[in-house]
Amino acid sequence: MNKRNNHILKSLMLLLVLLISLNAVANSTEKGWYTDYDKALAEAKKNKVPLLINFSGSDWCKPCIMLSETIFFTDVFRNYASDSLVLLNLDFPVNKKNQPEKDEMKRRDALAEKYNESGVFPSVILIDANEKVLGQTGYKKISPLAYISHLKSLLIGFKYEIADATPDKSELRETYTMMGARFEIVAIDRDTELAQKAINNAHSEIVRIEALISSWNENSQTYSINTNAGIKATEVDEELFRLIERALKVSKLSEGAFDISFASIDKLWKFDRTMTELPDSVYVAKSVSKINYKNVILNKENLTVYLKDKGMKIGFGAIGKGYAANCAKKIMTDLGIKDGIVNAGGDIIAWGNKVNGKPWKVGISNPTKQSKFVSFLQVNDMAVVTSGDYERYSIINGERYSHIIDPKTGYPSKGLVSVTIVCPDAELADALATTVFVMGEEKGLALINRMALIDCILINDKGDITTSDNLDLNFVDPNTTEQ
Ligand code: AMP
Ligand code: MG
């Protein structure tokens, strides 16, 4: 009897869960999804992207609900689709209450006959603007990113059709690992040879910069500066001299919150999640005494750099990727590339427009779940650079210690978990992101609000999001898709 009751109870619970989820889907108005075939097709034609048709049964088909909840309604998929697809949901509910008017139901039936002969639900059909079927799939128990890759594999031929139809621009994209980060370089042009050349040259440029500023490469000028600390001045290229000069300006502006001589302490901390104990406070105090940007002595006449204290060290971790992104962009624009992106490990500079002529959209990662975004920004000729506590860290006694050091204490900075700076210059954005991270919410925000043409998005350890006074101008709701 007990067993039977248990069984009934379990079945009831299961039914309840199912009903709740069915109801959730039936009620959710899917933002960014068309329900009208003709409108969706016209949009696909206009944007020169494929149309994805989802044949679903929102109140009876469990895999349909799973497909929506685990793939289609995720930020990752929404973000991908907003650039690359037009989405059409053709729902076939059994419950009368959920059904559209008769004529619409008839239209959907006709479309199902045309594209979903098998009658399988869910059925995902990709078509082009000429209504040619490009691919067909359904629900898969995989991650949104894997599903996107799967869709892309079905769409491989699509690019060429666009290229044939319009003698328009096309997009080239390459990724590399440099400066310990993943770089992505995108060039858009009618001339694909030129785009490829621009990407290659930009890549070489970043390799060159890495060789100049790396503090562990024994052949770099930065390495010489560090090994000669307290001994003698090192003559350097004007390029490195100017970079250090600019870094010191940010130090001055931030009263030492940003300090490239933070590196004097970098042996004490390891932010690769292997550290299990805090460093000895005596050593921390000793190393902190070596951090002082005022002891980086520059001689303009001879172009020399001298670190006054023995044991002092400089490092460009907080500014180098932004600098490299600026330089790579310059190489490309000098070659005539009017639309492109350099993404230096998440530090982004974008100029011109996307291949479909719309503005670039940059997602701001959610610090607690990086596959999700807290927002998107539409940008044109702008850098968007984020410093996050999730990038490199170690957990010690259950507490997170991340890679941005407060030069005053020698310990990782606390309070903010993500700082995004938006301004036209990637190097400045990079330096300021680290600066604000150390300065904290109040002082950091005040600094950015004082500066023209520079904006920020701050997220603190409680998850509160604050933006600078002028940012709402380009703030885009993460749920909207471009139309
Ligand atoms: P970012 O991701 O741009 O904020 O740079 C973080 C990196 O900058 C760290 O991994 C360190 O290499 C370096 N860094 C840490 N603290 C500071 C600081 N207070 N000033 C300048 N550079 C720092
Ligand atoms: Mg930085």
Side-chain angles (χ1 to χ4, degrees):
M1 182 68 183
N2 248 347
K3 241 185 180 177
R4 194 164 163 262
N5 273 348
N6 242 342
H7 187 71
I8 293 172
L9 198 68
K10 263 190 191 160
S11 306
L12 274 173
M13 292 283 279
L14 209 70
L15 194 70
L16 195 69
V17 168
L18 194 66
L19 275 175
I20 288 171
S21 56
L22 287 174
N23 208 25
V25 170
N27 287 339
S28 64
T29 43
E30 298 114 342
K31 268 193 180 168
W33 284 80
Y34 283 87
T35 50
D36 183 301
Y37 178 73
D38 293 333
K39 280 188 189 152
L41 196 64
E43 191 64 18
K45 204 170 249 173
K46 194 175 102 200
N47 290 353
K48 298 177 188 148
V49 295
L51 171 61
L52 179 151
I53 311 174
N54 179 32
F55 287 96
S56 68
S58 67
D59 61 2
W60 58 273
C61 160
K62 189 110 189 273
C64 302
I65 296 165
M66 296 298 289
L67 177 61
S68 296
E69 289 197 339
T70 62
I71 310 284
F72 289 157
F73 294 172
T74 63
D75 288 343
V76 173
F77 184 83
R78 278 196 186 116
N79 187 38
Y80 159 70
S82 70
D83 291 340
S84 316
L85 295 170
V86 168
L87 304 169
L88 170 69
N89 192 40
L90 294 178
D91 192 19
F92 292 79
V94 285
N95 191 332
K96 278 245 153 58
K97 184 170 102 212
N98 297 330
Q99 283 178 0
E101 53 167 71
K102 253 197 186 139
D103 283 354
E104 174 57 25
M105 215 54 234
K106 263 192 195 159
R107 275 197 290 274
R108 289 185 195 177
D109 281 335
L111 287 165
E113 229 162 82
K114 181 170 175 183
Y115 293 115
N116 189 22
E117 272 175 89
S118 66
V120 172
F121 280 78
S123 192
V124 176
I125 314 283
L126 294 152
I127 64 169
D128 69 10
N130 301 317
E131 304 185 285
K132 186 180 131 203
V133 176
L134 305 165
Q136 179 160 13
T137 183
Y139 169 56
K140 287 183 184 300
K141 206 173 163 185
I142 53 178
S143 71
L145 279 176
Y147 201 88
I148 291 166
S149 300
H150 167 60
L151 290 181
K152 281 183 180 166
S153 72
L154 297 175
L155 291 168
I156 279 172
F158 186 74
K159 243 190 179 146
Y160 300 114
E161 288 190 24
I162 297 178
D164 287 343
T166 52
D168 221 337
K169 295 178 178 178
S170 52
E171 177 187 287
L172 285 188
R173 195 178 274 263
E174 303 270 1
T175 56
Y176 310 92
T177 302
M178 294 181 282
M179 298 183 167
R182 183 176 175 273
F183 275 67
E184 186 169 33
I185 307 176
V186 183
I188 294 173
D189 204 274
R190 282 192 177 80
D191 181 348
T192 46
E193 262 175 43
L194 180 73
Q196 187 64 58
K197 184 177 168 195
I199 290 180
N200 294 347
N201 290 3
H203 172 220
S204 310
E205 174 72 348
I206 299 164
V207 171
R208 185 190 69 76
I209 291 168
E210 183 173 13
L212 184 71
I213 66 173
S214 156
S215 44
W216 54 265
N217 175 351
E218 294 183 9
N219 300 316
S220 80
Q221 295 185 352
T222 306
Y223 188 86
S224 293
I225 296 172
N226 287 340
T227 46
N228 285 308
I231 304 171
K232 62 173 185 181
T234 305
E235 201 179 319
V236 298
D237 288 354
E238 182 170 357
E239 180 181 5
L240 185 60
F241 189 89
R242 299 279 168 238
L243 178 65
I244 296 174
E245 211 172 38
R246 291 194 298 275
L248 296 182
K249 269 191 192 154
V250 181
S251 296
K252 216 171 169 185
L253 181 81
S254 65
E255 291 167 4
F258 179 89
D259 193 332
I260 51 172
S261 72
F262 86 94
S264 315
I265 205 171
D266 71 355
K267 279 228 159 61
L268 293 187
W269 292 99
K270 260 185 156 180
F271 300 112
D272 56 2
R273 303 182 205 185
T274 58
M275 216 172 161
T276 50
E277 270 180 49
L278 286 176
D280 191 322
S281 57
V282 176
Y283 289 126
V284 173
K286 226 174 170 181
S287 297
V288 160
S289 70
K290 310 246 179 247
I291 306 178
N292 187 352
Y293 69 94
K294 290 178 185 152
N295 288 337
V296 180
I297 312 296
L298 300 182
N299 183 321
K300 277 186 190 167
E301 274 75 54
N302 316 329
L303 292 184
T304 60
V305 185
Y306 177 50
L307 307 183
K308 239 178 168 178
D309 256 0
K310 217 170 163 58
M312 227 182 133
K313 212 174 145 191
I314 55 170
F316 296 99
I319 191 171
K321 290 206 288 286
Y323 174 58
N326 273 353
C327 295
K329 176 197 166 186
K330 178 154 187 341
I331 292 274
M332 293 169 76
T333 50
D334 282 355
L335 271 175
I337 302 296
K338 293 196 171 58
D339 309 277
I341 279 201
V342 178
N343 178 347
D347 296 354
I348 290 168
I349 188 153
W351 67 100
N353 289 305
K354 291 191 293 193
V355 74
N356 62 8
K358 293 188 173 187
W360 294 109
K361 231 167 66 172
V362 180
I364 312 295
S365 288
N366 181 331
T368 51
K369 204 168 184 190
Q370 284 101 62
S371 59
K372 294 210 164 228
F373 298 109
V374 293
S375 180
F376 291 90
L377 292 173
Q378 274 187 358
V379 289
N380 184 303
D381 298 326
M382 203 57 88
V384 181
V385 174
T386 300
S387 285
D389 79 337
Y390 49 85
E391 288 165 1
R392 291 175 55 226
Y393 62 86
S394 277
I395 305 268
I396 305 168
N397 301 330
E399 215 179 303
R400 186 193 292 235
Y401 290 86
S402 94
H403 64 139
I404 299 175
I405 303 278
D406 183 342
K408 293 201 169 63
T409 63
Y411 285 88
S413 190
K414 296 257 174 212
L416 288 170
V417 296
S418 165
V419 174
T420 301
I421 301 285
V422 186
C423 79
D425 183 291
E427 177 193 316
L428 184 63
D430 194 358
L432 287 177
T434 315
T435 303
V436 171
F437 202 100
V438 175
M439 288 179 86
E441 196 168 336
E442 209 176 308
K443 283 189 175 162
L445 189 65
L447 174 76
I448 298 304
N449 278 333
R450 277 205 306 274
M451 300 171 93
L453 291 178
I454 301 178
D455 278 297
C456 68
I457 303 169
L458 313 181
I459 307 178
N460 68 18
D461 53 9
K462 293 179 199 77
D464 306 325
I465 304 178
T466 317
T467 61
S468 55
D469 293 347
N470 295 321
L471 195 78
D472 48 333
L473 293 175
N474 9 346
F475 209 65
V476 175
D477 179 350
N479 292 321
T480 54
T481 56
E482 288 166 57
Q483 308 233 335

